[in-house]
Amino acid sequence: MELVQIVRSGGAARCDDVVLRETSTTRLVFRAVLVDNAKDAAQPVRGWIVSQRKRKGDEWEDHNEVALSNMRAGEWVKTELRAEEVDKLVRHVGGLYRLYRSGGLPSGKTHFLKLDLQAGESPEDLEGTVRTLLALGRRSGLDTFGKVVDLTLRDEDSAEVVRQLERLEVSTVQKLQSLAGVAALRAALDTWEANEGNTSEEFWQQTFKDNAFILSQAFSVPVLLIQDKAYVGGRELSREGATELDFLYANPITANAACVEIKTPATPLLGTPYRGKSGGRVYGASVELSGALAQVRNYRYRLTTGYSHLRIEREGEFEVAAPRCLIVAGHAGCSLGDDDAKKRSFEALRGGLADIDVITYDELFERVRSLCCLLEGT
């Protein structure tokens, strides 16, 4: 196993030399180039067998090239390749063919891990191979572990993958689940930290859709995502006026529905001061937050009044006994800062909402961070 660099220049890509034979002062290498062969796309590899030499402490230098067209009658050049050297050459060229067929010429400078698969490897050999693979990945920045998992899960025989997982010890499966959970939480935190100022509702809609577990942290009971951009009624005869809720969740045990409306971290939480001076100021909800409160109440009304029709389409998925409502909006750290009056006003505002929960983005992702630390034991 080794790290191979391929550098593209124009319509060709040069690969690192493969050492076929080496002593302290001489060596024999194969130098390959991947090309877009206009005459035959099935033959993308060109190459040279190169003899090199060096003095102690010097760099390797190519021997002078011998042009066959300049040789006279009776002159000849012979280079013997041992069986293991031919095997190495064939394996390398075969790998280049597979690489080209899978994606054509690489772009720019690209690194690949070349893995020589040998038959009859012992468990100890396999363990060493995996450790080397991960070590190379850490040094090169390549996602080697992810590639291995992706290739495994891409297997068309998913039942065989399940059978292999069943052979693992229970402790191993539990550890794998825990690590996968931490990885997902860490990825979600990275997304938040890189996009705290993102003002696109579509971006956050897609983020929460791809990571449904994030919004579940805002509820005090277990919930499952039923539908994003869920139709909850309101369509007129002209087919206009349809009402779409950002997310529809449901308790998996009681089936009670939950309506989720999302804004962005940039959504203002409070308006201008209403009364009072200095530390005694009182603030009301911002226009944007007031609108979100009215909007989610309308969604819940549409959902409950149109439930008999909706249930025909989504039988058994959810009930509307007492739908909970959640609004995700704003950034408490930015909107409230260290202003005690703003903090009191905001807490009084959302604390007085008996039927709607309001949580800010930084509060939501702080819950994700806490869960991540709990799983990591930190």
Side-chain angles (χ1 to χ4, degrees), residues 227-275:
Q227 181 69 48
D228 69 305
K229 293 187 179 299
Y231 169 68
V232 292
R235 194 183 300 275
E236 300 172 359
L237 291 177
S238 63
R239 303 187 67 80
E240 295 181 353
T243 305
E244 285 189 345
L245 177 65
D246 284 336
F247 291 99
L248 177 64
Y249 277 75
N251 186 317
I253 299 174
T254 66
N256 190 42
C259 304
V260 179
E261 174 67 11
I262 65 166
K263 297 304 179 183
T264 75
T267 301
L269 298 174
L270 301 174
T272 55
Y274 177 65
R275 284 183 179 176

Side-chain angles (χ1 to χ4, degrees), residues 10 32 45 47 128 136 207 211 255 358:
V45 182
L136 281 172
T207 297
N211 303 273
V358 177

Side-chain angles (χ1 to χ4, degrees), residues 3 36 103 124 243 278:
L3 193 63
D36 280 328
E124 292 76 15
T243 305
S278 187

Side-chain angles (χ1 to χ4, degrees), residues 352-378:
L353 300 171
D355 54 352
I356 301 175
D357 295 318
V358 177
I359 188 170
T360 64
Y361 274 78
D362 50 336
E363 289 175 323
L364 178 60
F365 280 96
E366 187 58 33
R367 293 189 182 185
V368 174
R369 190 185 310 279
S370 297
L371 179 58
C372 186
C373 291
L374 177 65
L375 292 175
E376 291 179 326
T378 58

Side-chain angles (χ1 to χ4, degrees), residues 6-46:
I6 299 181
V7 182
R8 177 170 179 169
S9 178
R14 176 175 170 173
C15 312
D16 286 344
D17 292 345
V18 176
V19 180
L20 304 176
R21 181 190 313 160
E22 183 173 3
T23 69
S24 60
T25 58
T26 63
R27 70 177 185 177
L28 192 67
V29 302
F30 177 68
R31 183 168 298 158
V33 173
L34 280 170
V35 295
D36 280 328
N37 191 342
K39 295 182 179 179
D40 190 346
Q43 299 178 355
V45 182
R46 295 175 56 197

Side-chain angles (χ1 to χ4, degrees), residues 221-223 250-258 307 316-322 324:
V221 295
V223 291
N251 186 317
I253 299 174
T254 66
N256 190 42
Y307 178 64
E317 284 193 277
F318 65 92
E319 298 285 346
V320 291
R324 294 295 303 171

Side-chain angles (χ1 to χ4, degrees), residues 270 278-283 338-346:
L270 301 174
S278 187
R281 291 191 301 270
V282 176
Y283 294 83
D338 295 325
D339 191 319
D340 291 337
K342 288 184 177 181
K343 291 179 180 178
R344 283 196 300 270
S345 294
F346 179 64

